[in-house]
Amino acid sequence: MFDRIVGVFKLDSNTFEEIEADQSATGQAALVVLVVALVGAIGSGIAATIADTGFFSSFISSIVTALLGWLVWSAVTYFVGTSFFGGQADLGEMLRVIGFAYAPQILGIIPCIGWIIGVVWTLAAGFIAVRQGLDLDNTKAALTIGIGLVAYIIIFVIIGAVFGTGAAVLSSLTG
């Protein structure tokens, strides 16, 4: 698993092909997303505590958003890539390659600029993941990602609204 994560950081196409083909790697991909989500959730929780808005609700919201984001991004890119652009994959393959593409977000632990580097690197890894996972050319992969990103943002906003309201209620109940 570590070698695969290193391959993702190197943006190695062969690593994504290997991940795509290994049906047993779905759990590993979920673990990558979960670890990144936990690290991000701790940071969000600490920031929320400093802002006096509640550690717990921010922590949970961050984890839920990351995990649902992975599922939504994978499902949407699978649907768009196979339905509109003739991509060849199944949902499990997309879950695996996109899950591993989340790995660079761990760089968010670096103060100030880590999250920016992590997001940019994740987008590059996500591009390769979609291209290799769906067997698309660069243009079709970019279009698939663009449409998937819009859906991801919509889901992110909805989750934020639900958990933001829930966090306000929880915070008022717990003092």
Side-chain angles (χ1 to χ4, degrees):
M1 184 170 144
F2 181 74
D3 290 338
R4 288 178 172 170
I5 292 171
V6 170
V8 167
F9 271 90
K10 291 179 177 180
L11 303 175
D12 178 35
S13 297
N14 292 326
T15 299
F16 285 99
E17 290 289 341
E18 177 187 320
I19 293 165
E20 174 192 11
D22 184 0
Q23 292 182 357
S24 68
T26 306
Q28 293 176 359
L31 183 60
V32 168
V33 175
L34 183 60
V35 167
V36 167
L38 286 170
V39 169
I42 291 168
S44 293
I46 291 169
T49 301
I50 292 168
D52 199 28
T53 58
F55 178 90
F56 182 75
S57 59
S58 181
F59 181 85
I60 296 299
S61 176
S62 293
I63 292 174
V64 169
T65 300
L67 293 174
L68 280 178
W70 169 52
L71 296 173
V72 168
W73 188 15
S74 299
V76 170
T77 54
Y78 163 73
F79 175 76
V80 170
T82 58
S83 298
F84 300 123
F85 299 114
Q88 300 295 314
D90 62 38
L91 184 56
E93 291 170 343
M94 293 312 299
L95 286 166
R96 289 189 291 276
V97 294
I98 290 175
F100 271 91
Y102 269 63
Q105 288 188 35
I106 198 73
L107 296 174
I109 63 173
I110 300 170
C112 301
I113 63 166
W115 71 271
I116 295 170
I117 296 168
V119 167
V120 171
W121 210 325
T122 295
L123 290 173
F127 174 80
I128 295 169
V130 169
R131 186 186 68 198
Q132 300 307 120
L134 288 165
D135 302 317
L136 297 173
D137 63 34
N138 288 342
T139 302
K140 290 178 181 178
L143 290 170
T144 299
I145 288 171
I147 294 167
L149 179 62
V150 170
Y152 181 86
I153 290 169
I154 290 168
I155 295 297
F156 180 79
V157 168
I158 291 169
I159 291 170
V162 169
F163 277 96
T165 303
V169 170
L170 182 62
S171 182
S172 68
L173 291 174
T174 59

